[in-house]
Structure formats: structure tokens, C-alpha cells
Amino acid sequence: MRRLALFLIIAGLISLWEPGEPVTLSAAEVTAPSPPSSENRVDVKKGLVAFVELKSEEPVTISIMYPTQYTKYKTTGSANGVLEFKNITWLVYPIPALLEEQTVYFLSSVPKGEAKKGDILFHTVYEDIHERIERLMKGEEMLRAGMEMVVAGDTEIIRLTPLIPGLKVRLDFSGNARFVIVKTIDLARYRKGIKSFEQLYDESDLKGSEKGIHFSTTEFEDLYLIVRLIVRTPDPVRVKSVIHATKESAESGC
Amino acid sequence: MKISRRSLLKSIGVSMAGGIFINGISSKRVFGEEKGMSKVHKPVLPPPTGKRVVILGGGYSGLYCATTLRDLAPEAEIVVVEKYPFFISGPSHVDFVAGLKRLDEITRSYDPIAGRNIRIIRSEVLGILPEEKRVLTAAGSLDYTLLLIATGIRIADEDVLNLIEQPASNSHAWEIGETIEMRKRVEAFTGGRFVVTVPTAPFKCPPGPYEVACLLREYFNNKKVKAEITVVDANDKPQPGPLAQKWTGVLEAREIKYMPNSKVVEIDAAARQLITDKGEKVGYDLVSIIPPNKAATFIKDAGLGDPFVDVDPATFRSKKYDHIFATGDCAKLPYTKSAFTSVLQGKSVAHYVAMALGIDVKEPAPIYNVCYPYVSSEESMMVRADWDRDGKMLKADADDPKKEYASSRAAWERGLISGLFGA
């Protein structure tokens, strides 16, 4: 009976992953899916890394808070400095606890005025950090982070971070959109109006439309994805990013 | 990519024309007058008659390599190229900014190093020609048998909009000139908003920005200066990772506002505000932006890596050239960019350089890090990390602030300095 329960848990977890997506999380440490909730606390024991996965039919805003931020948020309502992902339909977020236990809160909310359809599925999978590094060093490529979001405005800016050399990044787009990936200084120039989207598009090697792009990071530099809709259609454009760690990224020290 | 002298000189020429910064100093300053170009062709020293090891950078890593190698390879000619006329201990920059130490307490002459039959050449490195085993400096060219690059980090001001155009708007404790300027500004500060910013990891001395915030909180309190202190952090949590939760509590206890996930991308000096990548505006009266940390541009130009030198973490040997090694903050390594690991890396690489010279020496011990970040002038935390020979982190440990760790810190830095210059 226990074996059957474990099998069902693993099967449930794997079913959340996109077809073709390598599932690299250690099956033996899978926890049972949490009941749908707008607030989840994740405790990670020392030596483990937790991969938190959220999936929602409708776009939601996900706020990730450390305990002090969470306490402040609960007492004052201030979400200053909180990591926030908007219009998210899928998220995989790692929480490493190399030295000491970590506690992180995930709060998800539906944009004001919109009805919530379906549940937000929340899963946590734990892996041993050293075992993971060992596998990376042996040449295995392992999922590090992932996100799918709906492009709400005409232009959307997404920070692809933290980036270290040797990561494999895959970006996919579901519809009519052009995109360009820029460094921080060009993001500042774009915001300031010093450079237009067209200029950045002409200058960048990392750009495209609809079909997406695959690339490996070579620097520690933060990158930003600027997405611009070509035409607005009834079906929203979705952007999906999947980042894999490699031996080279493990050697970069992160 | 093969780097020829012609192509390097051409790229330097282009840099001069465009006023591009080389290793933090404008190319015009490096070359001086136009006629200074001819110096590049003249050798600083005659070609080596025996084995010559050239070490670029006279910081902890470069000097510990030089002195260790002196013992391991008595016959080798050792040349250190350094742009500053004297040595200043990096960890004490924060002490100086907070008024805990005077400049003369943390400065040392290079004479004791030179007295150990190690030649010190004061000059700026402009480029490396790996195929020719030659270094180009502002003083002229230098041929080598083996080369160690230990030039530390370069502060990439150009990555923050308007910072190059308005250099007087900022000061920080990550370069000596800036550190002196920051101390002056801290002393002159009469109250208001003090903002310190943190770049995305990796950067030199990861606890440094939070130490500066804590020490200046204490300093301003003692002076009865009302200061609203904010740390604007490009990372999702305080650095280094092992101290993240401890730092969060320390900052909160000192009423230091902490803004993670906020990368400063622009300074508007006229309006006295910083702009983050989210478009948020953060006002200031005194600011300390720590721009992204990168390695000297000649490393990329020489095809040795971008932005850091690509090396084998076990031997510090370049992945591209057998005769080139790199250690410390300028190398792409899994070790913390700290003074302590730089010291151990310097000692360690000396062994591999000696082996490359054909000398039979033992394998050095793997790298580890210990440091004691300040939370006040009287208390420090402790963090330790151990790696295996291949650079894989084996374990890490951290401890809460204690008075005894402040004493440990003082002894720790004294030990690093006296290991080079004596008591």
C-alpha cells in the first residue's frame, strides 16, 4: 500500500512536467502534493535543496518571502524588496540550504477584479545538494529553474537571473511576439529612451520571434528579456523559460 | 583565437581613440602622451636568461605566490608588476571607511618583498600576448617563461548608467582611491539618507557591503548623526549565501532597510536618486554604489576568458595556455572572492608553477575560506567553507556575532599581512 502511495505521488509530480522535459528531481524525496492554497511555507533542511513548483490555469502573481520579509508583510503590509513574479502560470524555484535550514513563504494571488479559475498546484521536491553537485560534475544536465508567464501589456521586461556561466537557457513563445535579450546597461538605456526596442533588436545576437531561442550563458552578467507583442490576439502570448544547470555552471561556484 | 602583437596594439589603439577604460584607468592616462606608445615596444627588462616567472598584481594572491615560489624555486627570476606604489590590505578598507583604522596602519612598502630577491615593477598592465609569452605594460614589454595573472577585480562603472559621466557622484570601499574619498564623505555627512548598493554575485568580499552599512550605523549613532540607511541588493538575499539569514537579522536589528532583488542600473546625481531594474527610485544624500565586479579587460582581449580567466580550479592553470596561471578575484573559480582564499590560492599556485618549472614539490592542500565579517566595531560573525581539490564545496559553517570573533578578525588580518611583510 505504501509503495502504491509513493508511486502515485511520483506519477503525480511527473505529470506536472512538460513532455520532453527531463525530470531530474530525485524521486525518493518527493513530498505529497499540498492542497491548493494561496499561501505555502517551505522548510528546507540543511544540506538539501528544495525545488518548489507552482502551476495555475489562470495567471497569478507569486511573491516569495524570507521569514523577516513575511513577518513584516503580515504586520505592516509592506512587501518592499520581495521577489515577485507576475502573470505566472508555471514556476520552478530552487531554495538551497547549504549551511542552515531555510524557510521561505510563497504567496500567490489573482490580479484584482479577475476571478480565480481552478486551483494553484503547489509541489515541493527535495534533493541532496552534494549529490546534485556530484551528478552535475559527472556531466548530467539538471533543471535549475523554470517559469511560464502571460504577456499582459504590449511590452514586458523579465529579469533572467541569477545567471552564471554554463547554464543552458531555453525560451519558448506561444504567439505573435518579438523579443530581444539585453544586458543591464542596455535595459537602463531602453528605459531612459536612449535606445529603442528596434535598435536593441538590431544590435543583439539573442533575439527572435515566436519560435524562441536556446543559448548557453557565458558570463555572470544579468540578462533581461524584453518582449514586444506584434499584434494582440484573443489568445494571450505565453513566454516560457527553462534553465538547466551543467558541469560548467557547477564549476562556476553557484 | 590567436592574439598577435599587431591585433593587440590595434585594439589598444582603438581603445585610446574611444577613451575606453583599461583596468580602471583611462587609456590616455595609461599611455600618457602620444609618444608614450613607443614605450610599449621597448622591453622593461632584457629577455630572460633563465626561467622568468612574471606575476601580474601585487595583492595578496600575487605576493603570496611570489614569496612561496621564492622558497620553492630559488633559481627562478620572479617579477611582480603592480600599478600601486605600496600595498594596502583589502579587508581593512571597511575599517578605514568606518574610522576604525588609519591609512598608515594598513599600508606597507614593497621593500621587504623586493628584499627577498623578487623584482617589483610599478606599471599598469595593458595586454598579454600569450603566443609570444609577452606582457605589455605602460612601462614597456616584458617576456616571461610562466605567467601568473592576479590582478584582482575591475570595477565596471560603465555598467551603471551615468556613473562614468558623473564619477564624483559616488564613492565606495572597493578601490583605494574611492575608499579615501568615501571616508571624507562619511566624516562630512551631517545626516539624511545613506544608501549602499550590492552588485550581483560574484563580487569581491561578499560580506563587505553589509559590514559597511553596520559599521556606519554605529559610527553615525556615536556621532549622533541621524541616518536612514538602506542596502539595495541585486541579489535575492545577503551575501555570502551561508550568512544570508544571519545578515537579515543583523540588518533588521540595526534598523537598516534591506531591499533585495533590486539592481541599481542608473544614477541621477542631479535628483540624488538611484533607479533600479524594476524602475524604482531610491533617494540618497550619501551613496555608495558598488558597481559589478569584473576582471581587467586585457584578459578578454587576450582570449583568456570573459569576464574572468578560465582556469582549472585544482591547478589554476589556464584552460587555453599551459604557461599561464590565474588566481584570486580575476579567475573564474568556485572559491569565495576573499583575501583569505587569495592567500591560499597564491601559496597553492606557487607549487603548480614550481612543478611547471620542473621542480619536484608536493601537492598543496585544498583551498578553504575563513573570515569574520563585522556587525559592529566590537562584534563579528564567522564563516568558513571548505572545498576539495577540484573546487567542489565540501562543507560550510557560520556562527552568530560574538566579541571574540572581532578579536579573531584582527588576528586573522594581522596574520595575512605579517606573512608577507613581517610583524
Side-chain angles (χ1 to χ4, degrees), chain B residues 64-137:
Chain B
Y64 266 98
C65 175
T67 53
T68 308
L69 190 61
R70 180 74 295 151
D71 296 337
L72 297 174
E75 303 301 321
E77 180 190 2
I78 303 172
V79 181
V80 175
V81 182
E82 168 57 40
K83 64 182 172 183
Y84 290 118
F86 39 77
F87 173 89
I88 297 184
S89 180
S92 282
H93 283 204
V94 295
D95 297 68
F96 178 74
V97 160
L100 302 179
K101 284 181 184 168
R102 298 187 315 272
L103 205 54
D104 60 293
E105 291 177 287
I106 60 175
T107 307
R108 294 289 184 278
S109 160
Y110 281 113
D111 287 351
I113 305 294
R116 294 164 79 165
N117 194 22
I118 294 166
R119 195 190 290 266
I120 308 283
I121 291 179
R122 187 188 170 194
S123 192
E124 182 83 14
V125 179
L126 303 181
I128 300 168
L129 302 172
E131 304 290 343
E132 298 180 37
K133 293 191 174 182
R134 181 169 293 164
V135 174
L136 301 181
T137 78

Coordinates of all heavy atoms in Angstrom, one line a residue, chain B residues 64-137:
Chain B
Y64 N 51.8 36.3 -2.2 CA 52.0 35.0 -1.6 C 52.5 34.0 -2.6 O 53.3 33.1 -2.2 CB 50.7 34.5 -0.9 CG 50.6 34.9 0.5 CD1 49.9 36.0 0.9 CD2 51.4 34.2 1.5 CE1 49.9 36.4 2.3 CE2 51.3 34.6 2.8 CZ 50.6 35.7 3.2 OH 50.6 36.1 4.5
C65 N 52.2 34.1 -3.8 CA 52.7 33.3 -4.8 C 54.2 33.6 -5.0 O 55.1 32.6 -5.0 CB 52.0 33.4 -6.2 SG 52.8 32.5 -7.5
A66 N 54.5 34.8 -5.1 CA 55.9 35.2 -5.3 C 56.8 34.8 -4.1 O 57.9 34.2 -4.3 CB 56.0 36.8 -5.4
T67 N 56.4 35.0 -2.9 CA 57.2 34.6 -1.7 C 57.3 33.1 -1.6 O 58.4 32.6 -1.2 CB 56.7 35.3 -0.4 OG1 55.3 34.9 -0.3 CG2 56.8 36.8 -0.5
T68 N 56.2 32.4 -1.8 CA 56.3 30.9 -1.7 C 57.2 30.3 -2.8 O 58.0 29.4 -2.6 CB 54.8 30.3 -1.9 OG1 54.0 31.0 -0.9 CG2 54.8 28.8 -1.6
L69 N 57.0 30.9 -4.0 CA 57.8 30.4 -5.1 C 59.3 30.7 -4.9 O 60.2 29.9 -5.3 CB 57.3 31.1 -6.4 CG 57.9 30.5 -7.7 CD1 57.5 29.1 -7.9 CD2 57.4 31.3 -8.9
R70 N 59.6 31.8 -4.2 CA 61.0 32.2 -3.9 C 61.6 31.0 -3.2 O 62.8 30.6 -3.4 CB 61.0 33.4 -3.1 CG 62.4 33.9 -2.7 CD 63.2 34.6 -3.9 NE 63.6 33.6 -4.9 CZ 63.7 33.9 -6.2 NH1 63.6 35.1 -6.6 NH2 64.0 32.9 -7.0
D71 N 60.9 30.4 -2.2 CA 61.4 29.3 -1.4 C 61.5 28.0 -2.3 O 62.4 27.2 -2.1 CB 60.5 29.1 -0.2 CG 60.6 30.2 0.7 OD1 61.5 31.0 0.7 OD2 59.6 30.4 1.5
L72 N 60.4 27.8 -3.1 CA 60.4 26.6 -3.9 C 61.3 26.5 -5.1 O 61.8 25.5 -5.5 CB 58.9 26.3 -4.4 CG 57.8 26.1 -3.3 CD1 56.5 26.1 -4.0 CD2 58.1 24.9 -2.5
A73 N 61.6 27.7 -5.6 CA 62.4 27.8 -6.9 C 63.4 28.9 -6.7 O 63.3 30.0 -7.3 CB 61.5 28.0 -8.1
P74 N 64.5 28.6 -5.9 CA 65.4 29.7 -5.6 C 66.1 30.2 -6.9 O 66.6 31.4 -6.9 CB 66.4 29.0 -4.7 CG 65.8 27.7 -4.3 CD 64.8 27.4 -5.3
E75 N 66.2 29.4 -7.9 CA 66.9 29.9 -9.1 C 66.1 30.7 -10.1 O 66.6 31.4 -11.0 CB 67.4 28.6 -9.9 CG 68.3 27.7 -9.1 CD 69.6 28.4 -8.6 OE1 70.1 29.2 -9.3 OE2 69.9 28.1 -7.4
A76 N 64.8 30.7 -9.9 CA 63.9 31.4 -10.8 C 63.9 32.9 -10.7 O 64.1 33.4 -9.5 CB 62.5 30.9 -10.7
E77 N 63.8 33.6 -11.8 CA 63.7 35.1 -11.7 C 62.2 35.4 -11.5 O 61.4 34.9 -12.2 CB 64.2 35.7 -13.0 CG 64.1 37.2 -13.0 CD 64.4 37.8 -14.4 OE1 64.6 37.1 -15.3 OE2 64.3 39.1 -14.5
I78 N 61.9 36.1 -10.5 CA 60.5 36.4 -10.2 C 60.2 37.9 -10.3 O 60.9 38.7 -9.7 CB 60.1 35.9 -8.8 CG1 60.3 34.4 -8.6 CG2 58.6 36.3 -8.5 CD1 60.2 33.9 -7.2
V79 N 59.3 38.3 -11.1 CA 59.0 39.7 -11.4 C 57.5 39.9 -11.1 O 56.6 39.2 -11.6 CB 59.3 40.1 -12.8 CG1 59.0 41.6 -13.1 CG2 60.7 39.7 -13.2
V80 N 57.2 40.9 -10.2 CA 55.8 41.3 -9.9 C 55.6 42.7 -10.5 O 56.3 43.6 -10.3 CB 55.6 41.4 -8.4 CG1 54.2 41.9 -8.1 CG2 55.8 40.0 -7.7
V81 N 54.5 42.7 -11.3 CA 54.1 44.0 -11.9 C 52.9 44.5 -11.1 O 51.8 43.8 -11.0 CB 53.7 43.9 -13.4 CG1 53.3 45.2 -14.0 CG2 54.9 43.2 -14.2
E82 N 53.0 45.7 -10.6 CA 51.9 46.3 -9.7 C 51.7 47.8 -10.0 O 52.7 48.5 -10.2 CB 52.3 46.1 -8.2 CG 51.4 46.8 -7.3 CD 49.9 46.5 -7.4 OE1 49.5 45.4 -7.6 OE2 49.1 47.5 -7.3
K83 N 50.5 48.2 -10.1 CA 50.2 49.6 -10.5 C 50.4 50.6 -9.4 O 50.6 51.7 -9.6 CB 48.9 49.7 -11.2 CG 47.7 49.4 -10.3 CD 46.4 49.6 -11.1 CE 45.2 49.1 -10.3 NZ 43.9 49.1 -11.1
Y84 N 50.2 50.1 -8.1 CA 50.2 51.0 -7.0 C 51.7 50.9 -6.4 O 52.3 49.9 -6.4 CB 49.2 50.6 -5.9 CG 47.8 50.9 -6.3 CD1 46.9 49.9 -6.4 CD2 47.4 52.2 -6.6 CE1 45.6 50.1 -6.8 CE2 46.1 52.5 -6.9 CZ 45.2 51.4 -7.0 OH 43.9 51.7 -7.4
P85 N 52.1 52.1 -5.8 CA 53.5 52.1 -5.2 C 53.6 51.4 -3.9 O 54.7 51.2 -3.4 CB 53.7 53.6 -5.1 CG 52.4 54.2 -5.0 CD 51.4 53.4 -5.7
F86 N 52.5 51.1 -3.3 CA 52.5 50.4 -2.0 C 51.4 49.4 -1.8 O 50.4 49.4 -2.6 CB 52.4 51.5 -0.8 CG 51.5 52.6 -1.1 CD1 50.1 52.4 -1.0 CD2 51.9 53.8 -1.6 CE1 49.2 53.3 -1.3 CE2 51.0 54.8 -1.9 CZ 49.6 54.6 -1.7
F87 N 51.5 48.6 -0.8 CA 50.5 47.5 -0.6 C 49.5 48.0 0.5 O 49.8 48.6 1.5 CB 51.1 46.3 -0.1 CG 50.2 45.2 0.3 CD1 49.7 44.2 -0.6 CD2 49.8 45.1 1.6 CE1 48.9 43.2 -0.2 CE2 48.9 44.1 2.1 CZ 48.5 43.1 1.1
I88 N 48.2 47.8 0.2 CA 47.1 48.1 1.2 C 46.3 46.9 1.4 O 45.8 46.3 0.4 CB 46.3 49.3 0.8 CG1 47.1 50.6 0.6 CG2 45.1 49.6 1.8 CD1 46.4 51.8 0.3
S89 N 46.1 46.5 2.6 CA 45.4 45.3 2.9 C 43.9 45.5 2.6 O 43.2 46.3 3.2 CB 45.6 44.9 4.4 OG 44.9 43.7 4.6
G90 N 43.3 44.7 1.7 CA 41.9 44.8 1.2 C 40.9 44.8 2.4 O 40.0 45.6 2.4
P91 N 41.0 43.8 3.3 CA 39.9 43.7 4.3 C 39.8 45.0 5.1 O 38.7 45.3 5.7 CB 40.3 42.5 5.2 CG 41.1 41.7 4.2 CD 41.9 42.6 3.3
S92 N 40.9 45.7 5.2 CA 40.9 46.9 6.1 C 40.2 48.2 5.4 O 40.1 49.2 6.1 CB 42.3 47.3 6.5 OG 42.7 46.5 7.6
H93 N 39.9 48.0 4.2 CA 39.2 49.2 3.5 C 37.9 49.6 4.3 O 37.6 50.7 4.5 CB 38.8 48.8 2.1 CG 39.9 48.8 1.1 ND1 39.7 49.0 -0.2 CD2 41.2 48.7 1.3 CE1 40.9 49.0 -0.8 NE2 41.8 48.9 0.1
V94 N 37.2 48.6 4.8 CA 36.0 48.9 5.6 C 36.3 49.5 6.9 O 35.6 50.4 7.4 CB 35.0 47.7 5.7 CG1 34.5 47.2 4.4 CG2 35.7 46.5 6.5
D95 N 37.4 49.0 7.5 CA 37.8 49.6 8.8 C 38.2 51.1 8.6 O 37.8 52.0 9.4 CB 39.1 48.9 9.3 CG 38.9 47.5 9.6 OD1 38.7 46.7 8.7 OD2 39.0 47.1 10.8
F96 N 38.8 51.4 7.5 CA 39.2 52.8 7.2 C 38.0 53.7 7.0 O 37.9 54.8 7.5 CB 40.2 52.8 6.0 CG 40.6 54.2 5.6 CD1 41.5 54.9 6.4 CD2 40.0 54.9 4.5 CE1 41.9 56.2 6.1 CE2 40.4 56.1 4.2 CZ 41.3 56.8 5.0
V97 N 37.1 53.2 6.2 CA 35.9 53.9 5.9 C 35.1 54.3 7.2 O 34.5 55.3 7.3 CB 35.0 53.2 4.9 CG1 33.5 53.7 4.9 CG2 35.5 53.3 3.5
A98 N 35.1 53.3 8.1 CA 34.3 53.5 9.4 C 35.2 54.2 10.4 O 34.7 54.3 11.6 CB 33.8 52.1 9.8
G99 N 36.4 54.5 10.1 CA 37.2 55.3 11.1 C 37.8 54.4 12.1 O 38.3 54.8 13.2
L100 N 37.9 53.1 11.9 CA 38.5 52.1 12.9 C 40.0 52.0 12.7 O 40.7 51.6 13.7 CB 37.9 50.7 12.7 CG 36.4 50.6 12.9 CD1 35.9 49.2 12.7 CD2 35.9 51.2 14.2
K101 N 40.5 52.3 11.5 CA 41.9 52.3 11.3 C 42.4 53.5 10.5 O 41.6 54.0 9.7 CB 42.3 51.0 10.6 CG 42.3 49.7 11.4 CD 42.7 48.5 10.6 CE 42.6 47.2 11.4 NZ 42.7 46.0 10.6
R102 N 43.7 53.8 10.7 CA 44.2 54.9 9.9 C 44.9 54.2 8.6 O 45.2 53.1 8.6 CB 45.3 55.7 10.6 CG 44.7 56.4 11.9 CD 45.8 57.3 12.5 NE 47.1 56.6 12.5 CZ 47.5 55.8 13.6 NH1 46.7 55.7 14.6 NH2 48.7 55.3 13.6
L103 N 45.1 55.1 7.6 CA 45.7 54.5 6.4 C 47.1 54.0 6.6 O 47.5 52.9 6.0 CB 45.7 55.7 5.3 CG 45.7 55.2 3.9 CD1 44.6 54.3 3.5 CD2 45.7 56.5 3.0
D104 N 47.9 54.6 7.5 CA 49.2 54.2 7.7 C 49.3 52.8 8.4 O 50.3 52.1 8.3 CB 50.1 55.2 8.4 CG 49.5 55.5 9.8 OD1 48.4 56.0 9.9 OD2 50.1 55.1 10.8
E105 N 48.2 52.5 9.1 CA 48.2 51.2 9.8 C 48.0 50.0 8.8 O 48.3 48.9 9.1 CB 47.0 51.2 10.8 CG 47.2 52.1 12.0 CD 46.0 52.0 12.9 OE1 45.0 52.6 12.5 OE2 46.1 51.4 14.0
I106 N 47.4 50.3 7.6 CA 47.1 49.2 6.7 C 47.9 49.2 5.4 O 47.7 48.5 4.5 CB 45.6 49.2 6.4 CG1 45.1 50.6 5.7 CG2 44.7 49.0 7.6 CD1 43.7 50.6 5.2
T107 N 48.9 50.1 5.4 CA 49.7 50.3 4.2 C 51.1 49.7 4.5 O 51.7 49.9 5.6 CB 49.9 51.8 3.9 OG1 48.5 52.3 3.8 CG2 50.6 52.0 2.6
R108 N 51.7 49.1 3.5 CA 53.0 48.5 3.7 C 53.8 48.9 2.4 O 53.3 48.9 1.3 CB 53.0 47.0 3.8 CG 52.3 46.5 5.1 CD 53.2 46.8 6.3 NE 52.6 46.2 7.5 CZ 51.6 46.8 8.3 NH1 51.1 47.9 7.9 NH2 51.2 46.2 9.4
S109 N 55.1 49.0 2.6 CA 56.1 49.2 1.5 C 56.3 47.9 0.9 O 56.3 46.9 1.5 CB 57.4 49.9 2.0 OG 58.4 49.6 1.1
Y110 N 56.6 47.9 -0.4 CA 57.0 46.6 -1.1 C 58.5 46.2 -0.9 O 58.9 45.2 -1.3 CB 56.8 46.7 -2.6 CG 55.3 46.6 -3.0 CD1 54.6 47.6 -3.5 CD2 54.7 45.3 -2.9 CE1 53.2 47.4 -3.9 CE2 53.4 45.1 -3.2 CZ 52.6 46.2 -3.7 OH 51.3 46.0 -4.1
D111 N 59.2 47.1 -0.1 CA 60.6 46.9 0.1 C 61.0 45.5 0.7 O 61.9 44.8 0.2 CB 61.2 48.0 0.9 CG 61.4 49.3 0.2 OD1 61.1 49.2 -1.1 OD2 61.7 50.3 0.8
P112 N 60.2 45.0 1.7 CA 60.5 43.7 2.2 C 60.4 42.6 1.2 O 61.1 41.6 1.2 CB 59.5 43.5 3.4 CG 59.1 44.9 3.7 CD 59.2 45.7 2.5
I113 N 59.5 42.8 0.3 CA 59.3 41.8 -0.8 C 60.5 41.8 -1.7 O 61.1 40.8 -2.1 CB 57.9 42.0 -1.6 CG1 56.7 42.1 -0.6 CG2 57.8 41.0 -2.7 CD1 56.4 40.8 0.1
A114 N 60.8 43.0 -2.1 CA 62.0 43.2 -3.0 C 63.2 42.7 -2.4 O 64.1 42.2 -3.1 CB 62.1 44.7 -3.4
G115 N 63.3 42.8 -1.1 CA 64.5 42.3 -0.3 C 64.6 40.8 -0.4 O 65.7 40.3 0.0
R116 N 63.6 40.1 -0.9 CA 63.7 38.7 -1.0 C 64.0 38.2 -2.4 O 63.6 37.2 -2.8 CB 62.4 38.0 -0.5 CG 62.1 38.3 1.0 CD 60.7 38.1 1.5 NE 60.4 36.7 1.6 CZ 59.3 36.2 2.3 NH1 58.5 37.1 2.8 NH2 59.1 34.9 2.4
N117 N 64.7 39.1 -3.1 CA 65.1 38.8 -4.5 C 63.9 38.6 -5.4 O 63.8 37.7 -6.2 CB 66.0 37.6 -4.5 CG 66.7 37.4 -5.9 OD1 66.8 38.4 -6.6 ND2 67.1 36.2 -6.2
I118 N 62.9 39.5 -5.2 CA 61.7 39.5 -6.0 C 61.6 40.9 -6.6 O 61.6 41.9 -5.9 CB 60.4 39.2 -5.2 CG1 60.4 37.7 -4.7 CG2 59.2 39.4 -6.1 CD1 59.4 37.4 -3.7
R119 N 61.7 41.0 -7.9 CA 61.7 42.3 -8.6 C 60.3 42.9 -8.6 O 59.4 42.2 -9.1 CB 62.3 42.2 -10.0 CG 62.7 43.5 -10.6 CD 63.0 43.3 -12.0 NE 64.2 42.5 -12.3 CZ 65.4 43.1 -12.5 NH1 65.6 44.4 -12.4 NH2 66.5 42.3 -12.7
I120 N 60.1 44.1 -8.2 CA 58.8 44.7 -8.3 C 58.9 45.8 -9.3 O 59.7 46.7 -9.2 CB 58.4 45.4 -6.9 CG1 58.5 44.4 -5.7 CG2 57.0 46.0 -7.0 CD1 57.4 43.4 -5.6
I121 N 58.0 45.8 -10.3 CA 57.9 46.8 -11.3 C 56.6 47.5 -11.2 O 55.6 46.9 -11.2 CB 58.1 46.2 -12.7 CG1 59.5 45.7 -12.9 CG2 57.7 47.2 -13.8 CD1 59.8 45.0 -14.2
R122 N 56.7 48.8 -11.0 CA 55.5 49.6 -10.9 C 55.0 50.0 -12.2 O 55.6 50.9 -12.9 CB 55.7 50.8 -10.0 CG 54.3 51.5 -9.7 CD 54.4 52.8 -9.0 NE 53.1 53.5 -9.1 CZ 53.0 54.7 -8.8 NH1 54.0 55.5 -8.5 NH2 51.7 55.2 -8.9
S123 N 53.9 49.4 -12.7 CA 53.4 49.8 -14.0 C 52.0 49.2 -14.2 O 51.6 48.4 -13.4 CB 54.3 49.3 -15.1 OG 53.9 49.9 -16.4
E124 N 51.3 49.7 -15.2 CA 50.0 49.3 -15.5 C 50.1 48.2 -16.6 O 50.8 48.4 -17.6 CB 49.2 50.5 -16.0 CG 47.7 50.2 -16.4 CD 46.8 50.3 -15.1 OE1 47.3 50.8 -14.1 OE2 45.7 49.8 -15.2
V125 N 49.3 47.1 -16.4 CA 49.3 46.1 -17.5 C 48.3 46.5 -18.6 O 47.2 46.9 -18.3 CB 48.9 44.7 -16.9 CG1 48.9 43.7 -18.0 CG2 49.9 44.3 -15.8
L126 N 48.8 46.5 -19.8 CA 47.9 46.9 -20.9 C 47.4 45.6 -21.7 O 46.4 45.7 -22.3 CB 48.7 47.8 -21.9 CG 49.3 49.1 -21.3 CD1 50.0 49.9 -22.3 CD2 48.2 49.9 -20.6
G127 N 48.3 44.6 -21.8 CA 47.8 43.5 -22.6 C 48.8 42.3 -22.4 O 49.9 42.4 -21.8
I128 N 48.3 41.1 -22.9 CA 49.1 39.9 -22.8 C 49.1 39.3 -24.2 O 48.1 39.3 -24.9 CB 48.5 38.9 -21.9 CG1 48.4 39.4 -20.4 CG2 49.3 37.6 -21.9 CD1 47.6 38.6 -19.5
L129 N 50.3 38.9 -24.7 CA 50.4 38.2 -26.0 C 50.8 36.8 -25.7 O 52.0 36.5 -25.6 CB 51.5 38.9 -26.8 CG 51.3 40.4 -27.1 CD1 52.5 41.0 -27.8 CD2 50.1 40.6 -28.0
P130 N 49.8 35.9 -25.4 CA 50.1 34.5 -25.0 C 51.0 33.8 -26.0 O 51.9 33.0 -25.5 CB 48.8 33.9 -24.9 CG 47.8 35.0 -24.8 CD 48.4 36.1 -25.5
E131 N 50.8 34.0 -27.3 CA 51.6 33.3 -28.2 C 53.1 33.7 -28.2 O 54.0 32.9 -28.5 CB 51.1 33.5 -29.7 CG 49.6 33.2 -29.8 CD 49.3 31.7 -29.8 OE1 50.3 30.9 -29.9 OE2 48.1 31.3 -29.6
E132 N 53.3 34.9 -27.8 CA 54.7 35.4 -27.8 C 55.3 35.3 -26.4 O 56.4 35.7 -26.1 CB 54.8 36.8 -28.3 CG 54.3 37.0 -29.7 CD 54.4 38.4 -30.2 OE1 55.3 39.1 -29.8 OE2 53.5 38.8 -31.0
K133 N 54.5 34.9 -25.4 CA 54.9 34.9 -24.0 C 55.4 36.2 -23.6 O 56.5 36.4 -23.1 CB 55.9 33.8 -23.7 CG 55.4 32.4 -23.9 CD 56.4 31.4 -23.4 CE 55.8 29.9 -23.4 NZ 56.7 28.9 -22.9
R134 N 54.6 37.2 -23.8 CA 55.0 38.6 -23.5 C 53.8 39.4 -22.9 O 52.6 39.2 -23.3 CB 55.4 39.2 -24.9 CG 55.9 40.7 -24.7 CD 56.5 41.1 -26.0 NE 57.7 40.4 -26.3 CZ 58.4 40.4 -27.5 NH1 57.9 41.0 -28.5 NH2 59.5 39.7 -27.6
V135 N 54.2 40.3 -22.0 CA 53.2 41.2 -21.4 C 53.5 42.6 -21.8 O 54.7 43.0 -21.9 CB 53.3 41.1 -19.8 CG1 52.4 42.1 -19.2 CG2 52.9 39.7 -19.3
L136 N 52.5 43.3 -22.2 CA 52.7 44.7 -22.5 C 52.3 45.6 -21.3 O 51.1 45.4 -20.8 CB 51.9 45.1 -23.7 CG 52.2 44.3 -25.0 CD1 51.3 44.8 -26.2 CD2 53.7 44.4 -25.3
T137 N 53.1 46.4 -20.8 CA 52.8 47.3 -19.7 C 53.0 48.8 -20.2 O 53.6 49.0 -21.3 CB 53.7 47.1 -18.5 OG1 55.0 47.7 -18.7 CG2 53.9 45.6 -18.2

